[in-house]
Amino acid sequence: MSVHILDAMAREGFEEVVALHDRRSGLRGFLGIHDSVRGPAFGGIRRWTYRDEREALLDLLRLARAMTRKAALLDLPAGGGKIVLVERDGIDWPAAYRYLGSHLEGMGGRFFAGPDLATGPEELAEVARATRYVTDPSDAGPGELAESTAEGVFRGMAAALRALDGEESFERATVVVQGLGAVGMGVARRLAQRGARVLAADLESERVELAEREFGAVPLEAGHALGTPCDIFAPCALGGHLHDLTVQRLRCRAVVGAANNVLARPLVGDRLHARGVLYAPDFIVNSGALVRGSIFHLEGRREPVGAIGARIEAVLEAVLARAKEEDAPPARVAATLADDRIDAWRAL
Ligand code: NAI
């Protein structure tokens, strides 16, 4: 099935989608700016093995729009964007990242790129050789991006517990953390420090062993994470894990995690709500890196991680209160709030 890209852009309110191809390195990909009315677009560089161009484009559109929503809800003077690069054989990746850097430089600061899947400090350093408009992974950059995200997710859990129990009952909570990467490990550590029982799963057993050794996490097989009874299920691996089939297997009271686009489609959020499971919208709780990165680039200062967590917690708390008042799924409430705010900016 093909994508009617212009129709899709009009439907989602996109400003720009650029197809990228570099003859020398073999790079192929797309760069999208969803919105830049409030400020330059911020978005990560995702390198992934896509089935076809359609899948890559749809991923780009969903992720870029979510970035604008994060910026809107957190009231940042920034917009949303994304870059997706197609993983395949024979690409000279260092050269490809430098090419991307020169492309961003040519955009003159309308797009600031950051990390995402398969694009970490090493790759960003290559991009940074050709542009200023990228997260500098060295000490000169914003730093603590994943820690900012972890803090936001953790504080999101505190708001979720208060909404469920009227108090921040970490000591009585069991939390399943799916994915112990840069963010998941930070979330799990914070939970353990606050006395929660942490059940942890990762495809890489060394990561689970590290969590067990370091702060007493209970190992869980990756395949069992979703169906294990717990208070909070924290998806911190890949997005799209909750769809019509998997959602039936959940045995938790709340879902609060870092993965982007956890819900395969909005209807899954409605089903969670109908089942009485509180879903904390990913585009609120995982916005820590965007807050830290955009404030650093636009205001030249490093917002403390604790302050970022408090800001995210306050936004989530307001959304959950409104969702309760309207008996509506929090993801819908948050999306409407964000989109209304974006429409208001555009009208100005
Ligand atoms: P990461 O790549 O460091 O960690 C992901 C971890 O998940 C890896 O350890 C991997 O082995 C594990 N994993 C993959 N599939 C799994 C499965 N089926 N079951 C259990 N474990 C599995 O990624 P990072 O940076 O920790 O990000 C996690 C998620 O949060 C990603 O979806 C990312 O897009 C999202 N995110 C990250 C932000 C950041 O600041 N790093 C910001 C916003 C969103």
Side-chain angles (χ1 to χ4, degrees), residues 193-273:
Q193 280 164 358
R194 279 295 301 273
R197 181 163 179 261
V198 180
L199 310 181
D202 198 291
L203 297 179
E204 293 178 21
S205 55
E206 317 85 73
R207 304 205 66 83
V208 181
E209 283 156 23
L210 180 68
E212 188 181 10
R213 248 192 346 265
E214 206 194 303
F215 46 82
V218 180
L220 197 62
E221 264 188 52
H224 293 163
L226 205 74
T228 298
C230 59
D231 295 288
I232 302 177
F233 173 64
C236 297
L238 287 185
H241 265 293
L242 295 186
H243 49 76
D244 294 348
L245 297 176
T246 51
V247 81
Q248 318 263 27
R249 290 171 45 210
L250 275 179
R251 296 284 174 273
C252 60
R253 297 196 296 146
V255 177
V256 188
N260 279 309
N261 299 326
V262 172
L263 306 177
R265 56 199 188 109
L267 276 178
V268 178
D270 302 347
R271 291 182 66 182
L272 286 176
H273 181 67

Side-chain angles (χ1 to χ4, degrees), residues 46 70 116-117 145-146 149 178-184 201-204 207 222 236-239 241 258-260 286 289:
R46 172 169 290 194
K70 290 183 202 188
D116 198 75
L117 301 175
L145 291 178
T149 306
Q178 181 193 46
L180 294 168
V183 178
D202 198 291
L203 297 179
E204 293 178 21
R207 304 205 66 83
C236 297
L238 287 185
H241 265 293
N260 279 309
N286 76 7

Side-chain angles (χ1 to χ4, degrees), residues 62 83 98 109 119 269 279 281 290 323 325 343:
R62 273 162 53 107
I83 295 171
R98 287 195 298 277
T119 302
Y279 178 73
L290 173 65
E325 212 175 280
D343 285 347

Side-chain angles (χ1 to χ4, degrees), residues 1 12 24 28 32 50 93 95 109 131 133 140 201 217 264 276 288-289 322:
M1 208 199 323
E12 305 288 348
R24 281 181 54 199
R28 287 184 189 182
Y50 291 102
W93 278 111
T131 186
Y133 306 120
R322 187 149 163 189

